[in-house]
Amino acid sequence: MPDGATAVLAVNGLKTVFRTRGGEVHAVNTVSFRLRPGEVLGVVGESGSGKSVTMMSLLGLLPSPPAELRAGEVLFEGRDLTRLPPEALRRVRGAGIGFVFQDPMTSLNPVFTVGFQIMEPLRKHLGMTRAQAAARAAELLDLVGIPDPRARLRDYPHQFSGGMRQRVMIAIALACNPKVLIADEPTTALDVTIQAQILELVRDLRQKLGMAIIWITHDLGVIAGIADRVMVMYGGQVVEEAPVKRLFSAPRHPYTRALLGTIPHIRGPRAPRLRVIEGQPPILRAHPAACPFRARCAHALPRCAAENPPRFPLGGGHDVACFWDADTGAAREAAPREGGARHG
Amino acid sequence: MLTYTLRRLLLSIPTLIFISLVIFLLLELAPGDPLADQPLTIPPEVRERMRAALGLGEPVYVRYWKWLVQFFWVEPRVMLDAWLGTAMAVGEQRIISWQFRAPVFDVIWQRLPQTLWVVGMAYIIGVLIALPIGIISAYRQYSWFDQIGTFVAMIGFSVPTFFTGVLLIVIFAVNLGWFPSIYDTTLRVTDWPSFVRQVQQMAMPVAVLALYNAAQISRYMRASMLDNLNQDYVRTARAKGMTEPVVVLLHVLRNSMIPVVTVIALGVPSIFGGAIITEQVFKVNGLGQALIGAIYANDLPMVQTLAFIFAILIVLFNLVADVLYGLLDPRIRYD
Ligand SMILES: Nc1ncnc2c1ncn2[C@@H]1O[C@H](COP(=O)(O)OP(=O)(O)OP(=O)(O)O)[C@@H](O)[C@H]1O
Ligand SMILES: [Mg+2]
């Protein structure tokens, strides 16, 4: 594991709780991860596993109430974003870390031109004049592959298709050359060709600009094509993290294995029916005291109901939060790595 | 947008003609006799001649036609004559009020300033109060400010203006003696003391109506802001590093104003008619009182003309609201 000094973004023990009328919802439970400069970290997990909430917590973008950051630190350029005064945090948002949200159809303001919305961060963070910002905005639209960018700056979001709006969102996120780009399912709303184009674009940009990217998706195919490392989330925690090749060739968490098993294969005999993971992801009303996956797990051990498994390091940047050892098919013997234990 | 506006204006002509016919016929059919308050000692023949002099001898369709011609052709030219000093409509028959024995439009021009000053001012003040209250209430939802705003707004539109009006009169005019209880129309503002007196006599009616208007509009503003504050684009604006004033007063407000502007525009016609009760309570002899007086006196030309003017204003401001909507919301295309 790289240490905090070389990571551009280091998240330690992040915990986010929603206070709702029906009680608390523990959406993010002691999540820790690191992002190295220029790397692409893929984040996968079922709907509701806490991917979006984790990333929005980093920048304090969740409405509070109901959201509440209970614990953890987010180190970016040596500063803890969770303790930054509002003005300093605003300078990080947009300028240091760009964010592409999940829903392109509603994430742009309908009453302002696309040009205005791209130029806003340029003028605020980089102090550009209107003319400079307009020129740069046109460049950005060109960069994300929107034809006739100068003219399109004057158009409103509804005059763009869903795929183009997603590109506009990416252009906004990239506007100030951020060190980190967080892309929350940026391609799920798009058809396959556009998806491929955007993936190509991001690979390209990463080469050119050298930024680190967090890429959230449901699509393991996309992860295989773009990510360097993968983080699997379940029940608001990281259950497995590994370099992308390792994860696909030797997944160690039963959830990851099940997730990989749900991908239908083109070659080979056709499965009688599509495989699914039986059961529902949990809604956690309290900090998990046991493994949240145990009810759906084929390998659950008595210990899984008594204690929440910490992340066991397996070497080579691979770790897994599971008491069951896939290599031996029995309970794990090794002691957890230091600091990996999860306490609320 | 221009072609749309023109098309709508053209379309509103048949609408208005139909409305005018309905107004005319309804009032024609309503029971009531303009000579009812004349002494019973007048002999029937004289009574008949008086009716003829009022134009009542002719069939309904003739009178309707005459009224239309007078409204759309004679009166506008009389107005132009007065403004430009020309003499296009000299000697032509105008719409005459039975009650005042004078042209209806002369009465309206006399009454209009009071109504505009008192009710119009109350509307403007109401809007100016309502917008910030609505914005802050939404942004700080469930704060003490929002709770108080909700409470005052509830009082504002559930307590009728004739009650708040009388209450204010009892407190501020009768007990404290700060303000006059009757509006003096003859007051001319020429110097500082007369200006102060004008402000004093406007204070209470304006306050009553402004409270009522502000109560309604602030609720609309609040609801619209709340709708928009939860939208995804607000998060995008924050993620770009925009400050809260920019997020709320530019991104959210610009969207929230779209329905509110429509409501404000649609409320403008009520300035001219809806303040009838307040005008009664404070004895402001504006258009609302003119209408009430004309109804009591069976003054059909006056009632017909005023009712029709209100109808025109309503149709017109509906159009204004639609055009504003189109201007504010780029997603709306009318062509
Ligand atoms: N405003 C909120 N109030 C209460 N609970 C919330 C709120 N927002 C999210 N949650 C809960 O947080 C959990 C994680 O949600 P999150 O949006 O992070 O999931 P996700 O992994 O991004 O899913 P998806 O793939 O569908 O985007 C869910 O259980 C959800 O119910
Ligand atoms: Mg999500």
Side-chain angles (χ1 to χ4, degrees):
Chain A
M1 284 291 287
D3 61 326
T6 61
V8 57
L9 185 71
V11 178
N12 295 319
L14 196 70
K15 175 153 187 61
T16 303
V17 175
F18 290 101
R19 291 159 160 275
T20 65
R21 282 175 195 217
E24 296 188 339
V25 175
H26 289 241
V28 179
N29 298 303
T30 324
V31 165
S32 305
F33 64 90
R34 271 153 182 60
L35 185 69
R36 279 170 278 183
E39 102 174 318
V40 177
L41 174 66
V43 180
V44 291
E46 266 172 308
S47 191
S49 55
K51 307 181 295 293
S52 303
V53 174
T54 304
M55 297 311 157
M56 286 189 229
S57 304
L58 300 186
L59 284 175
L61 287 173
L62 291 167
S64 173
E68 186 186 317
L69 194 77
R70 284 271 167 89
E73 52 174 16
V74 178
L75 295 172
F76 175 73
E77 296 182 323
R79 290 182 302 174
D80 183 357
L81 298 187
T82 62
R83 287 189 181 71
L84 235 43
E87 189 44 48
L89 181 60
R90 274 196 287 275
R91 277 196 295 273
V92 174
R93 290 176 180 171
I97 301 178
F99 211 123
V100 181
F101 291 99
Q102 200 161 350
D103 196 345
M105 301 312 272
T106 54
S107 288
L108 289 168
N109 193 326
V111 301
F112 293 111
T113 61
V114 159
F116 174 84
Q117 298 186 58
I118 304 177
M119 283 153 68
E120 247 188 331
L122 291 169
R123 300 189 65 183
K124 174 165 164 56
H125 297 298
L126 306 183
M128 287 187 178
T129 64
R130 179 176 284 279
Q132 287 170 326
R136 170 87 176 123
E139 251 174 64
L140 284 162
L141 281 191
D142 194 38
L143 187 75
V144 295
I146 289 180
D148 197 9
R150 279 226 151 256
R152 304 242 50 188
L153 287 181
R154 284 190 298 275
D155 284 349
Y156 289 91
H158 71 272
Q159 291 162 295
F160 288 72
S161 71
M164 287 170 112
R165 283 187 224 181
Q166 194 59 274
R167 289 159 191 240
V168 171
M169 285 298 299
I170 294 175
I172 291 175
L174 294 176
C176 304
N177 282 328
K179 295 235 166 45
V180 174
L181 176 72
I182 302 177
D184 190 351
E185 308 196 24
T187 56
T188 23
L190 311 181
D191 64 59
V192 185
T193 32
I194 312 272
Q195 263 192 38
Q197 283 176 26
I198 289 200
L199 285 179
E200 197 49 50
L201 169 78
V202 169
R203 261 186 230 126
D204 226 47
L205 290 173
R206 181 186 154 207
Q207 295 283 312
K208 275 192 217 147
L209 310 174
M211 68 191 160
I213 299 173
I214 297 177
W215 193 275
I216 303 178
T217 180
H218 286 139
D219 189 338
L220 290 162
V222 169
I223 288 286
I226 194 173
D228 300 312
R229 268 187 315 129
V230 187
M231 189 164 97
V232 182
M233 291 193 67
Y234 188 85
Q237 26 195 337
V238 180
V239 293
E240 183 161 11
E241 185 185 325
V244 66
K245 288 219 177 65
R246 276 283 290 265
L247 190 94
F248 280 90
S249 62
R252 280 297 169 259
H253 197 283
Y255 175 65
T256 317
R257 296 160 76 97
L259 214 54
L260 291 171
T262 54
I263 312 174
H265 288 276
I266 299 178
R267 280 184 291 259
R270 199 163 172 198
R273 51 175 301 190
L274 226 52
R275 288 185 55 191
V276 293
I277 309 176
E278 295 293 336
Q280 292 294 319
I283 290 178
L284 298 164
R285 294 273 166 218
H287 189 77
C291 177
F293 188 61
R294 68 184 187 284
R296 303 166 75 187
C297 183
H299 307 288
L301 305 163
R303 194 177 174 192
C304 302
E307 115 183 58
N308 194 10
R311 286 164 74 173
F312 295 95
L314 305 175
H318 190 173
D319 67 63
V320 63
C322 186
F323 292 127
W324 177 74
D325 190 343
D327 292 321
T328 62
R332 190 180 297 279
E333 296 301 326
R337 88 182 138 122
E338 256 176 79
R342 275 198 279 256
H343 299 293
Chain B
M1 190 58 87
L2 190 67
T3 49
Y4 170 79
T5 311
L6 290 176
R7 202 170 62 227
R8 277 285 302 269
L9 276 175
L10 280 179
L11 272 176
S12 61
I13 292 175
T15 314
L16 283 172
I17 289 181
F18 179 72
I19 294 176
S20 73
L21 182 64
V22 171
I23 290 176
F24 197 90
L25 290 182
L26 270 180
L27 291 173
E28 204 57 48
L29 295 174
D33 181 356
L35 301 182
D37 53 354
Q38 302 296 330
L40 288 171
T41 49
I42 298 176
E45 322 85 69
V46 181
R47 201 169 266 269
E48 218 33 60
R49 262 184 284 134
M50 284 172 76
R51 296 181 71 84
L54 289 176
L56 280 170
E58 285 161 303
V60 172
Y61 60 88
V62 174
R63 278 184 287 131
Y64 174 61
W65 175 249
K66 275 188 171 168
W67 178 74
L68 267 192
V69 169
Q70 287 164 352
F71 191 97
F72 282 109
W73 179 238
V74 180
E75 292 294 345
R77 285 186 304 150
V78 171
M79 242 180 268
L80 284 180
D81 284 351
W83 286 336
L84 307 176
T86 50
M88 288 183 286
V90 176
E92 295 199 40
Q93 180 60 49
R94 302 178 59 188
I95 308 174
I96 300 295
S97 156
W98 292 345
Q99 180 191 5
F100 300 107
R101 310 279 190 270
V104 163
F105 273 88
D106 289 357
V107 178
I108 293 175
W109 284 119
Q110 263 172 22
R111 300 299 185 88
L112 192 61
Q114 288 86 273
T115 295
L116 282 185
W117 268 112
V118 174
V119 190
M121 180 73 78
Y123 198 66
I124 292 172
I125 291 179
V127 169
L128 290 182
I129 296 175
L131 299 187
I133 288 183
I135 294 168
I136 299 172
S137 300
Y139 188 63
R140 302 234 172 278
Q141 196 187 5
Y142 304 134
S143 65
W144 61 264
F145 184 95
D146 183 28
Q147 312 274 8
I148 292 175
T150 304
F151 182 71
V152 172
M154 221 174 59
I155 291 178
F157 61 63
S158 57
V159 180
T161 50
F162 60 77
F163 182 79
T164 33
V166 172
L167 192 71
L168 286 197
I169 288 179
V170 169
I171 297 176
F172 292 105
V174 179
N175 288 343
L176 296 174
W178 291 356
F179 305 122
S181 68
I182 291 181
Y183 191 94
D184 176 11
T185 322
T186 56
L187 181 70
R188 290 282 158 271
V189 177
T190 50
D191 50 4
W192 181 250
S194 62
F195 175 75
V196 171
R197 254 184 297 144
Q198 175 67 14
V199 171
Q200 279 176 334
Q201 66 175 356
M202 276 172 63
M204 284 195 299
V206 168
V208 166
L209 276 176
L211 173 72
Y212 182 73
N213 292 326
Q216 275 180 328
I217 295 169
S218 71
R219 291 280 97 182
Y220 279 113
M221 188 74 234
R222 179 178 180 272
S224 181
M225 284 291 286
L226 282 177
D227 266 356
N228 279 286
L229 275 168
N230 291 322
Q231 297 287 318
D232 289 348
Y233 68 77
V234 181
R235 198 177 51 200
T236 307
R238 293 206 172 106
K240 289 196 291 191
M242 297 297 121
T243 57
E244 282 303 288
V246 171
V247 171
V248 177
L249 297 179
L250 188 68
H251 285 262
V252 179
L253 185 60
R254 179 67 174 66
N255 280 279
S256 309
M257 280 312 287
I258 296 170
V260 176
V261 163
T262 310
V263 168
I264 293 175
L266 290 177
V268 170
S270 71
I271 292 178
F272 296 89
I276 294 170
I277 292 169
T278 317
E279 287 194 351
Q280 278 297 109
V281 170
F282 291 99
K283 305 284 180 288
V284 181
N285 65 341
L287 287 181
Q289 255 207 359
L291 181 62
I292 294 284
I295 291 172
Y296 281 138
N298 270 315
D299 185 354
L300 286 194
M302 188 84 189
V303 177
Q304 279 158 351
T305 306
L306 277 175
F308 189 47
I309 289 176
F310 293 154
I312 292 178
L313 287 172
I314 289 169
V315 170
L316 187 70
F317 276 92
N318 260 298
L319 174 62
V320 169
D322 282 352
V323 169
L324 282 177
Y325 205 105
L327 288 177
L328 286 175
D329 191 339
R331 287 165 294 187
I332 308 279
R333 276 286 153 267
Y334 286 133
D335 302 316

